[in-house]
Amino acid sequence: KQEVTQIPAALSVPEGENLVLNCSFTDSAIYNLQWFRQDPGKGLTSLLLIQSSQREQTSGRLNASLDKSSGRSTLYIAASQPGDSATYLCAVGSSNTGKLIFGQGTTLQVKP
Amino acid sequence: DTAVSQTPKYLVTQMGNDKSIKCEQNLGHDTMYWYKQDSKKFLKIMFSYNNKELIINETVPNRFSPKSPDKAHLNLHINSLELGDSAVYFCASSQDSTGGLSDTQYFGPGTRLTVL
């Protein structure tokens, strides 16, 4: 059974810092991995999708990496801004079941 | 302009009632999903439909019944509501024509259901 864990649960950094959010999964037989952002009271916004054959994806100040063999993904945010404050969710697409398994998220606060 | 929309945004109701949540997507996607996010923020898939056909049916009580009148709509009907049904319900859609995961999922704003 696939389990997805995100550490830390919460993170507070000063504006301008580079930071890394971590995601780990127990079953390496994944189809893809997605990172989402959720603002309070809002739906999820997809940030990056990494297919199982890929090692990383980049979008602006965001870079997501994938290491299937070790069951890990990281989301790197460069030069953080207060507007980056949100909950970041990692979701693994399972090859076996065809569904997304979500972690519990990391709540990020970027202080001005 | 809204890609994935849900109605209502908030729903407060008494135990035992029957209620429906509607979802519509204007992205031309083939696959739609329903997720439940509980009080601990854990997001879990409930159902997915591809071109009106049920693809994923997670272990949810049969009081929950999805209905897809066409591929742009996936409604969720809940019978005999219980306290534990209180959660935020998200609808999502993706282009993937196989009901799989090759494409990004786009989420609606969520419906916060409170059962009293």
Side-chain angles (χ1 to χ4, degrees), chain A residues 32 38 46 51 98-99 102, chain B residues 37 42 56 58 101-102 104:
Chain A
N32 59 23
Q38 185 175 25
S46 179
Q51 302 292 352
K99 66 186 181 186
F102 281 83
Chain B
Q37 188 172 42
F42 235 137
I56 295 174
E58 278 298 281
L101 300 166
S102 60
T104 298

Side-chain angles (χ1 to χ4, degrees), chain A residues 3-70:
Chain A
E3 292 183 3
V4 181
T5 304
Q6 290 185 247
I7 295 173
L11 182 63
S12 181
V13 300
E15 182 177 3
E17 268 202 14
N18 302 326
L19 59 101
V20 175
L21 306 181
N22 296 296
C23 173
S24 62
F25 46 95
T26 54
D27 186 349
S28 61
I30 69 169
Y31 193 85
N32 59 23
L33 185 144
Q34 296 186 45
W35 282 93
F36 293 87
R37 167 185 173 139
Q38 185 175 25
D39 292 284
K42 300 283 181 66
L44 279 68
T45 301
S46 179
L47 298 173
L48 291 163
L49 182 154
I50 310 176
Q51 302 292 352
S52 63
S53 58
Q54 297 174 323
R55 298 283 293 187
E56 67 176 347
Q57 282 286 338
T58 298
S59 176
R61 293 182 294 108
L62 305 179
N63 176 277
S65 68
L66 175 63
D67 184 342
K68 276 177 48 179
S69 60
S70 66

Side-chain angles (χ1 to χ4, degrees), chain B residues 5-106:
Chain B
S5 59
Q6 297 178 227
T7 54
K9 188 171 175 62
Y10 299 97
L11 184 54
V12 181
T13 188
Q14 299 287 333
M15 277 176 54
N17 284 349
D18 302 339
K19 290 293 179 185
S20 292
I21 306 172
K22 295 185 177 181
C23 177
E24 176 181 3
Q25 54 94 4
N26 62 7
L27 298 167
H29 287 169
D30 293 323
T31 306
M32 297 184 71
Y33 313 78
W34 274 109
Y35 289 87
K36 177 181 179 180
Q37 188 172 42
D38 61 24
S39 57
K40 296 182 179 179
K41 306 295 185 185
F42 235 137
L43 200 65
K44 289 186 178 180
I45 191 166
M46 301 173 70
F47 304 101
S48 77
Y49 269 74
N50 177 260
N51 275 317
K52 298 170 55 179
E53 182 181 341
L54 181 65
I55 302 296
I56 295 174
N57 185 353
E58 278 298 281
T59 308
V60 297
N62 57 16
R63 298 182 294 105
F64 290 80
S65 54
K67 288 197 169 46
S68 182
D70 54 63
K71 76 172 192 176
H73 295 84
L74 181 61
N75 303 323
L76 183 65
H77 189 75
I78 316 170
N79 290 328
S80 303
L81 278 156
E82 300 178 357
L83 294 176
D85 297 332
S86 295
V88 181
Y89 292 84
F90 287 99
C91 176
S93 73
S94 68
Q95 178 58 56
D96 192 279
S97 60
T98 64
L101 300 166
S102 60
D103 293 303
T104 298
Q105 292 187 21
Y106 293 84

